[in-house]
């Protein structure tokens, strides 16, 4: 290793003078913005690097466990053969990337030593300067009651998938748990194989796997600094977790009730606006979104502003735009009926029941489009379909411990199929909430390739599922629930905007004015369309903004500054960390790829007739499926017994 020249390369591979001093924001030669990609290092080199040095002529050592890639335009090194066992849990847990980092690459061979077990993580809880976000224990006392419970809720939701992969110990190491605003993030994953210490009752060491009692013990350490309103209920929940045979599924309803009660202490106000454009290269628009008109014309439609939808059609002019419009209009009808059903119930529906009903709605609409494909003899790439990203803010009434009833449970549900995306944006951060259904992600989830390696496939961006291209039996929509406990804006968009990281690049500029109340939501939506057309321009673009505003401002919270990373965990954390091998894990099953065909022009009259036929078929299909099996089961489980 040699001493770093404290320089970083321009990401423009055609730049004639690419070297720039660290700390520069743009290339001094070509003015391309410089990329600072900080990585979290797992494993140890045979020769520990010194701070300020370069590893493999490329990675600048900011701290022993945080390195900066000084050549971010180049691919990292990937495993030459079979992926090492410690890497696999990161791949199988890719759907949890909001909370878990991703494997960037491996460290190439070190001079005179073996570095096969050293790999680099991106999407780690590091800020733009390479500093760790605060540990949850450090930020705990300054968070609101709702946020404290929300952090615990996320940990409980992570418990099951991490336990399935044998890495639930990761949630028991306090230093490993970091927070960025509302979300919990882990530095890395740790294997569950560990040994109980020898004591008088266990003369020999015996293996033990983590359980919910271990998680409860960690939470109990934080309770003295919890907000008074939640201390007693959390103590009861922890006692339940300590009981023999306790499961996360049994604990979740109690914790969920506490979370919703705390989040609903303040009223929630919503505003929504959308925009869609054909883009500079097309004369027709296969995207569809809701809302698109002005708020006054939507005030009485039964779903505004609770519902937001973006669909990106597949199948060409005579199919893609029909499928996307069909999906939007059908979802509005189904959701309107569902909201009416919710309003009639005296008790709020559980998150699982809501997810089941949303999935049933999506499957009905999928089969309406799929049946039209079958009836028209469409096959392979000729089959019309659409991506879908939708958000539903469910205004369920909620009874508080004192007997009063609040009007809104602050729940936000996301449904995603395909590669249209959802982002949560505040004045401090922009978080992508959805995972694309494409070949690159499939290869990662199957445990076959690292993500950046999978992106090199020529079909990396081909969709693995879309709405309407196949029977609903093969559809696997991703459904998530979020709890709104801060002011922010949910952005839904098609890939005409999200491609090439445009949302991540431009959100500070576009959203600053609307977040400060100086720019209207409608103007911000139009600004996003301008970004899509100017910076991408290769596709139609649609965007919907759903602004969630807590009507009484939250108290100012001065969270701790990000911490300087260090490789030294606390002693209590160290006791749980063991470098033992994990058992083999069965990889998830994925669908086959659905490629995006090139969009084609067709006579508008033909489209109009086809559209009328499809809409007529939709009316008959919806009339014949007013009681689908999923919805009937939902009603049986939720309606009060006579």
């Amino acid at each position: 290793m040699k001493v770093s020249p404290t320089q970083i390369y321009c990401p423009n591979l055609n730049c004639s003078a690419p070297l720039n001093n660290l700390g520069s924001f743009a290339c001094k030669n070509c003015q391309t913005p410089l990329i600072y990609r900080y990585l979290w290092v797992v494993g140890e080199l045979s020769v520990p690097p010194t701070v300020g040095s370069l590893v493999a002529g490329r990675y600048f050592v900011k701290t022993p466990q945080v390195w900066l890639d000084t050549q971010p335009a180049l691919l990292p090194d990937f495993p030459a053969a079979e992926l090492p066992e410690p890497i696999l849990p990161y791949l199988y847990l890719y759907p949890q990337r909001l909370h878990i980092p991703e494997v960037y690459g491996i460290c190439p061979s070190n001079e005179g030593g073996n570095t096969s077990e050293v790999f680099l993580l991106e999407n780690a809880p590091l800020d733009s300067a390479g500093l760790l976000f605060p540990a949850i224990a450090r930020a705990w006392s300054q968070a609101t009651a709702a946020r404290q419970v929300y952090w615990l809720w996320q940990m409980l939701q992570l418990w099951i998938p991490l336990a399935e992969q044998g890495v639930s110990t990761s949630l028991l190491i306090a230093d490993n748990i970091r927070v960025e605003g509302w979300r919990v993030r882990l530095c890395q994953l740790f294997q569950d194989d560990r040994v109980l210490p020898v004591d008088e009752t266990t003369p020999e060491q015996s293996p033990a796997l983590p359980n919910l009692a271990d998680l409860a013990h960690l939470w109990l350490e934080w309770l003295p600094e919890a907000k008074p309103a939640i201390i007693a209920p959390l103590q009861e929940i922890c006692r339940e977790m300590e009981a023999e045979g306790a499961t996360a599924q049994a604990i979740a309803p109690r914790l969920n009730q506490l979370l919703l009660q705390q989040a609903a202490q303040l009223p929630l106000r919503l505003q929504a606006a959308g925009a869609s454009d054909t883009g500079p290269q097309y004369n027709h628009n296969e995207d569809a979104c809701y809302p698109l008109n002005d708020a006054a014309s939507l005030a009485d439609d039964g779903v505004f502003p609770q519902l937001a939808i973006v669909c990106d059609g597949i199948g060409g002019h005579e199919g893609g735009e029909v499928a996307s419009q069909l999906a939007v209009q059908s979802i509005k009808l189904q959701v309107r009926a569902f909201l009416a059903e919710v309003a009639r119930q005296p008790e709020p529906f559980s998150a699982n029941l809501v997810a089941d009903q949303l999935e049933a709605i999506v499957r009905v609409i999928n089969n309406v489009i799929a049946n039209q494909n079958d009836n028209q003899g469409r096959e392979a790439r000729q089959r019309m379909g659409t991506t879908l990203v939708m958000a539903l803010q469910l205004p369920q009434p909620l009874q508080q411990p004192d007997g009063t009833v609040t009007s809104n449970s602050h729940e936000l549900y996301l449904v995603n199929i395909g590669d249209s995306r959802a982002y949560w944006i505040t004045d401090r951060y922009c978080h992508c909430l959805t995972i694309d259904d494409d070949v690159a992600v499939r290869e990662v989830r199957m445990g076959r390739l690292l993500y950046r390696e999978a992106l090199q496939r020529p079909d990396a961006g081909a969709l693995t599922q879309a709405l309407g291209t196949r029977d609903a039996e093969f559809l696997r929509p991703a459904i998530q629930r979020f709890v709104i406990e801060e002011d922010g804006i949910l952005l839904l968009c098609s890939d005409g905007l999200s491609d090439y990281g445009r949302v991540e690049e431009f959100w500070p500029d576009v959203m600053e004015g609307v977040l400060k109340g100086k720019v209207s939501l409608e103007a911000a939506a139009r600004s996003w369309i301008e970004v899509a057309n100017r910076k991408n321009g290769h596709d139609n673009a649609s965007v919907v903004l759903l602004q969630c505003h807590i009507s009484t401002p939250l108290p100012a919270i001065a969270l701790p500054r990000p911490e300087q990373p260090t490789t030294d965990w606390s002693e209590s954390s160290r006791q749980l960390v063991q470098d033992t091998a994990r058992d083999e894990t069965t990889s998830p099953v994925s669908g086959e790829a659905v490629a995006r065909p090139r969009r084609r022009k067709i006579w508008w009259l033909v489209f109009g007739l086809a559209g009328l036929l499809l809409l007529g078929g939709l009316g008959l299909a919806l009339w014949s499926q007013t009681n689908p099996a999923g919805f009937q089961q939902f009603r049986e489980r939720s309606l009060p017994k006579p």
Side-chain angles (χ1 to χ4, degrees):
M1 284 177 279
K2 52 188 177 182
V3 177
S4 167
T6 63
Q7 291 181 312
I8 186 170
Y9 281 78
C10 174
N12 178 8
L13 295 177
N14 296 318
C15 182
S16 59
L19 284 175
N20 295 268
N21 293 331
L22 285 180
S24 303
F25 294 102
C27 176
K28 62 183 179 183
N29 180 55
C30 67
Q31 299 305 307
T32 299
L34 298 178
I35 299 173
Y36 286 83
R37 183 175 295 129
Y38 288 96
L39 307 167
W40 184 260
V41 182
V42 176
E44 296 181 0
L45 294 171
S46 56
V47 179
T50 58
V51 173
S53 65
L54 276 183
V55 176
R58 174 173 180 173
Y59 299 105
F60 174 77
V61 181
K62 180 178 178 65
T63 75
Q65 207 161 1
V66 176
W67 298 356
L68 171 67
D69 188 355
T70 63
Q71 301 180 49
L74 302 182
L75 290 175
D77 290 271
F78 304 123
E82 187 175 352
L83 291 174
E85 284 289 320
I87 286 179
L88 293 178
Y90 293 93
L91 276 60
Y92 297 144
L93 291 167
Y94 187 85
Q96 304 294 336
R97 65 184 299 273
L98 267 172
H99 312 286
I100 296 172
E102 307 156 41
V103 181
Y104 181 67
I106 63 171
C107 179
S109 297
N110 182 32
E111 296 88 343
N114 180 12
T115 62
S116 61
E117 296 301 318
V118 176
F119 53 97
L120 311 172
L121 302 179
E122 60 180 327
N123 188 35
L126 299 167
D127 69 5
S128 59
L131 301 176
L132 275 169
F133 288 112
I136 187 172
R138 186 164 176 251
W140 177 264
S141 63
Q142 299 183 57
T144 63
R147 181 158 290 182
Q148 287 177 338
V149 182
Y150 199 15
W151 287 340
L152 300 186
W153 169 261
Q154 292 173 63
M155 293 178 65
L156 187 66
Q157 295 302 295
L158 285 171
W159 183 265
I160 294 177
L162 266 63
E164 290 174 348
Q165 299 300 328
V167 290
S168 55
T169 295
S170 311
L171 291 168
L172 303 177
I173 302 172
D175 293 331
N176 193 49
I177 308 167
R178 303 282 160 164
V179 289
E180 181 191 10
W182 65 275
R183 69 167 168 163
V184 169
R185 306 184 65 178
L186 303 182
C187 293
Q188 64 186 83
L189 299 177
F190 292 96
Q191 303 298 319
D192 284 346
D193 299 321
R194 62 186 177 91
V195 186
L196 287 177
V198 176
D199 58 29
E200 295 179 358
T201 61
T202 55
E204 296 182 358
Q205 291 182 335
S206 59
L209 296 178
N211 54 43
L212 285 180
D214 297 321
L215 188 61
H217 296 160
L218 180 63
W219 290 4
L220 287 169
E221 294 179 8
W222 304 334
L223 280 196
E225 294 186 309
K227 294 299 182 284
I230 62 174
I231 291 178
L234 283 180
Q235 286 175 334
E236 293 182 11
I237 290 172
C238 287
R239 280 196 292 268
E240 293 179 12
M241 295 168 66
E242 292 173 323
E244 185 176 355
T247 64
Q249 294 90 336
I251 300 299
R254 290 286 307 278
L255 189 61
N256 179 61
Q257 182 182 21
L258 181 61
L259 170 59
L260 295 183
Q261 287 174 344
Q262 293 303 315
Q265 294 294 321
L266 296 175
L268 174 67
R269 292 186 290 121
L270 300 176
Q271 293 176 279
S276 186
D277 193 78
T278 59
Q281 296 188 21
Y282 295 96
N283 58 11
H284 64 276
N285 193 349
E286 294 183 40
D287 285 1
C289 66
Y290 173 85
L292 189 58
N293 299 322
D294 61 281
S297 64
L298 299 170
D300 298 323
D301 73 351
V303 294
F304 180 83
Q306 274 76 31
L307 181 64
I309 311 171
V310 167
C311 290
D312 184 355
I314 298 167
H317 174 47
E318 75 279 18
E321 58 191 5
V322 174
S324 61
Q325 291 285 351
L326 191 59
V328 168
Q329 297 305 320
S330 304
I331 289 171
K332 287 171 59 182
L333 291 174
Q334 295 269 20
V335 168
R336 183 183 299 128
F338 175 53
L339 289 178
E341 187 75 24
V342 169
R344 288 193 293 266
Q345 302 308 309
E347 298 293 332
F349 295 138
S350 70
N352 288 338
L353 281 175
V354 175
D356 289 345
Q357 176 59 12
L358 292 177
E359 183 170 347
I361 288 173
V362 169
R363 290 184 183 280
V364 168
I365 296 167
N366 178 88
N367 283 349
V368 170
I369 301 174
N371 289 339
Q372 291 294 339
N373 280 321
D374 295 339
N375 294 338
Q376 296 176 11
R378 294 174 178 264
E379 297 181 355
R381 295 188 178 186
Q382 299 303 316
R383 291 179 70 85
M384 66 178 177
T386 181
T387 70
L388 166 67
V389 60
M390 64 171 279
L392 176 62
Q393 195 281 312
L394 199 61
Q396 299 196 87
L398 191 72
Q399 185 172 2
Q400 295 291 339
D402 61 2
T404 60
V405 176
T406 51
S407 60
N408 198 324
S409 61
H410 290 211
E411 295 173 282
L412 181 68
Y413 288 84
L414 285 181
V415 182
N416 182 56
I417 300 168
D419 59 359
S420 296
R421 293 183 179 180
Y423 296 83
W424 178 249
I425 300 175
T426 71
D427 58 353
R428 291 169 292 160
Y429 41 70
C430 172
H431 296 158
C432 183
L433 304 179
T434 53
I435 305 294
D436 294 344
D437 289 317
D438 60 23
V439 169
V441 171
R442 182 195 67 189
E443 293 302 291
V444 175
R445 297 181 64 176
M446 292 289 289
R448 293 197 283 247
L449 295 171
L450 304 186
Y451 184 67
R452 290 188 178 271
E453 186 177 12
L455 286 177
Q456 306 313 304
R457 290 180 51 132
D459 61 347
L463 298 183
T464 53
Q465 65 171 353
L467 192 65
T469 56
R470 295 190 293 176
D471 186 80
E473 176 186 355
F474 302 99
L475 196 65
R476 299 293 183 268
I479 301 177
Q480 308 172 73
R481 187 197 70 163
F482 298 90
V483 175
I484 304 169
E485 44 82 58
E486 66 176 348
D487 289 352
I489 297 176
L490 183 73
L491 182 153
L492 309 183
C493 67
S494 61
D495 62 349
L497 172 59
S498 63
D499 277 353
Y500 306 109
R502 301 308 183 194
V503 176
E504 292 87 344
E505 180 181 358
F506 287 98
W507 75 267
D509 298 329
V510 177
M511 303 304 283
E512 180 182 12
V514 68
L515 288 168
K516 291 182 176 180
K518 299 179 179 179
V519 176
S520 71
L521 212 58
E522 292 79 6
R526 291 193 297 269
S527 295
W528 278 118
I529 295 298
E530 293 173 3
V531 168
N533 289 340
R534 186 175 72 254
K535 293 296 183 178
N536 287 338
H538 58 276
D539 202 352
N540 310 144
S542 296
V543 60
V544 172
L545 302 175
L546 178 65
Q547 186 164 23
C548 306
H549 182 69
I550 305 297
S551 60
T552 301
L554 291 172
I557 299 175
L559 287 177
R561 292 180 59 81
E563 300 175 10
Q564 185 71 20
T566 173
T567 54
D568 293 330
W569 303 97
S570 67
E571 186 58 31
S572 60
S573 298
R574 280 289 186 184
Q575 293 176 0
L576 293 175
V577 180
Q578 297 290 333
D579 296 326
T580 53
R582 63 180 301 281
D583 294 334
E584 289 189 4
T585 308
T586 303
S587 60
V589 179
S590 67
E592 65 182 62
V594 179
R596 281 185 176 276
R598 184 175 180 177
R599 306 184 183 229
R600 293 165 295 169
K601 300 179 180 179
I602 195 171
W603 192 22
W604 277 97
L605 179 59
V606 176
F607 160 72
L609 292 174
L612 289 174
L613 289 173
L614 287 173
L615 291 175
L618 169 64
L620 293 175
L622 290 178
W623 180 261
S624 65
Q625 299 186 51
T626 54
N627 287 301
F631 188 54
Q632 184 176 1
Q633 180 183 9
F634 167 78
R635 289 174 58 87
E636 291 174 353
R637 295 171 62 185
S638 58
L639 287 174
K641 302 296 182 183

